[in-house]
């Protein structure tokens, strides 16, 4: 069994074939999918989808690019959304300095308040980091000192990891998992592969981030969970282990991190 720990199957890109997409994923062994929210509205969409489909789980929270109008009142809504039994994490949350959609101070405010909520609820976090590595890690390294025992060994994942090696090392030192997506298969991604090869086997996760970041050989098309095996195969070759062993490890990691039933 494989688990896609990050796919936005609630997005409009999947409206025409969502049920078929889940079936295609299952046919290649991807039996469970986690959908992360990007705002309160997508959180509500996710609550509906996890009720509709077996094997589909969710995370709720506010993506940094959705934080321009953030207020603390939104934390109460996220807290209510987490009461659903199939909501396994807070996410995706973090910082994004690539797009200028929200002031840095506002992003940090939303990030820190959601981290505080995650600690209180004893839920792991799904971290978005784009061109903000130093600030993301400074906030996370401070946050982990506040965690209850139940979260200290599973605080969360740096999703679709693409930062420098030193950031990977700091994240691993803080007990985070690292998620890898389609770019691990791209021709010009030697630096990323070098990092992935050195991540301990018990800290790796596989994700599509669909509909984005489609792996080779489907690059340029819409991504979907059925393409997870291409990421697994590349990671297995980097780790010089069998696909079966990589599958077993990443599935166990996802179950451990998110407490997937």
């Amino acid at each position: 069994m494989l688990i896609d720990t990050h796919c936005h199957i609630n997005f409009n890109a999947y409206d025409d074939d969502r049920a078929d997409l889940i079936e295609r994923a299952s046919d290649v062994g991807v039996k469970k999918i986690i959908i992360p929210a990007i705002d309160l509205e997508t959180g509500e969409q996710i609550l509906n989808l996890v009720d509709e489909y077996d094997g589909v789980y969710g995370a709720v929270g506010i993506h940094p690019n959705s934080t321009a109008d953030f207020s603390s009142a939104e934390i109460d809504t996220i807290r209510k959304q987490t009461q659903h039994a199939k909501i396994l994490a807070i996410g995706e949350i973090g910082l994004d300095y690539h797009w200028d959609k929200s002031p840095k101070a506002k992003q940090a405010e939303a990030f820190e308040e959601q981290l505080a909520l995650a600690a209180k609820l004893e839920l792991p976090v799904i971290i978005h980091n784009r061109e903000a590595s130093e600030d993301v890690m400074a906030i996370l390294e401070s946050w982990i000192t506040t965690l209850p025992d139940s979260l200290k060994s599973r605080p969360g994942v740096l999703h679709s990891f693409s930062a420098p090696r030193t950031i990977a090392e700091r994240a691993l030192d803080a007990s985070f998992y690292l998620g890898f997506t389609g770019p691990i298969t791209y021709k010009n991604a030697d630096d990323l592969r070098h990092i992935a090869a050195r991540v301990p086997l018990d800290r790796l996760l596989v994700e599509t981030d669909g509909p984005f970041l489609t792996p080779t050989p489907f690059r340029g098309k819409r991504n979907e969970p059925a393409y997870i095996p291409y990421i697994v195969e590349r990671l297995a070759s980097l780790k010089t282990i069998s696909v079966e062993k990589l599958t077993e490890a990443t599935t166990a990691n996802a179950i451990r991190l998110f407490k997937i039933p």
Side-chain angles (χ1 to χ4, degrees):
M1 179 180 76
L2 286 162
I3 299 174
D4 183 349
T5 58
H6 196 114
C7 188
H8 300 277
I9 66 167
N10 58 304
F11 280 13
N12 293 341
Y14 301 116
D15 283 352
D16 293 338
D17 65 342
R18 192 170 287 111
D20 291 341
L21 168 147
I22 292 169
E23 187 173 341
R24 283 194 297 274
S26 182
D27 287 346
V28 299
V30 182
K31 301 296 186 182
K32 296 181 188 292
I33 301 164
I34 297 175
I35 319 172
I38 59 169
D39 53 27
L40 299 183
E41 181 182 357
T42 53
E44 292 300 319
Q45 293 170 1
I46 290 163
L47 294 182
N48 291 329
L49 288 174
V50 300
D51 280 338
E52 186 173 354
Y53 296 105
D54 291 338
V56 174
Y57 299 85
V60 292
I62 302 172
H63 187 288
N65 290 335
S66 303
T67 60
D69 298 318
F70 174 79
S71 74
S72 296
E74 293 175 90
I75 294 295
D76 289 332
T77 302
I78 296 169
R79 182 186 290 106
K80 289 172 186 170
Q81 291 175 337
T82 65
Q83 292 171 2
H84 193 295
K86 292 180 80 176
I87 297 301
L88 307 179
I90 300 293
E92 64 185 282
I93 63 174
L95 302 175
D96 190 316
Y97 295 169
H98 178 78
W99 302 108
D100 187 22
K101 294 189 176 182
S102 176
K104 289 181 180 180
K106 204 68 174 171
Q107 291 188 41
E109 177 190 351
F111 188 22
E112 291 177 342
E113 288 202 31
Q114 290 179 96
L115 287 171
L117 177 65
K120 190 177 296 184
L121 298 177
E122 301 186 29
L123 288 173
V125 291
I126 297 171
I127 301 299
H128 174 98
N129 165 31
R130 191 162 186 190
E131 298 173 19
S133 293
E134 287 295 332
D135 288 351
V136 165
M137 286 313 305
I139 290 171
L140 291 178
E141 286 164 344
S142 174
W143 175 67
I144 61 170
T145 66
T146 72
L147 294 183
D149 289 345
S150 63
L151 275 188
K152 284 179 179 174
S153 65
R154 54 177 206 103
V157 55
L158 269 66
H159 121 80
S160 192
F161 190 82
S162 61
R165 177 182 55 82
T166 53
I167 298 300
E169 291 170 350
R170 287 169 66 182
L172 292 167
D173 286 345
S175 296
F176 279 86
Y177 292 72
L178 302 185
F180 289 91
T181 49
I184 201 77
T185 68
Y186 296 172
K187 188 176 180 180
N188 63 350
D190 287 341
D191 288 348
L192 184 61
R193 283 188 284 271
H194 185 79
I195 292 167
R198 285 154 181 78
V199 175
L201 191 57
D202 64 355
R203 296 290 192 84
L204 280 172
L205 295 178
V206 289
E207 25 171 282
T208 54
D209 198 19
F212 316 109
L213 302 178
T214 312
T216 303
F218 303 102
R219 193 173 181 185
K221 299 179 181 178
R222 183 195 69 175
N223 202 0
E224 61 176 81
Y227 297 157
I228 280 282
Y230 293 91
I231 298 165
V232 169
E233 287 168 12
R234 198 71 179 93
L235 284 170
S237 70
L238 291 173
K239 303 291 285 182
T240 62
I241 60 175
S242 68
V243 167
E244 290 75 19
K245 188 169 183 181
L246 197 287
T247 296
E248 183 181 325
T250 57
T251 298
N253 295 344
I255 290 170
R256 186 186 321 118
L257 172 60
F258 295 112
K259 291 195 171 179
I260 300 171

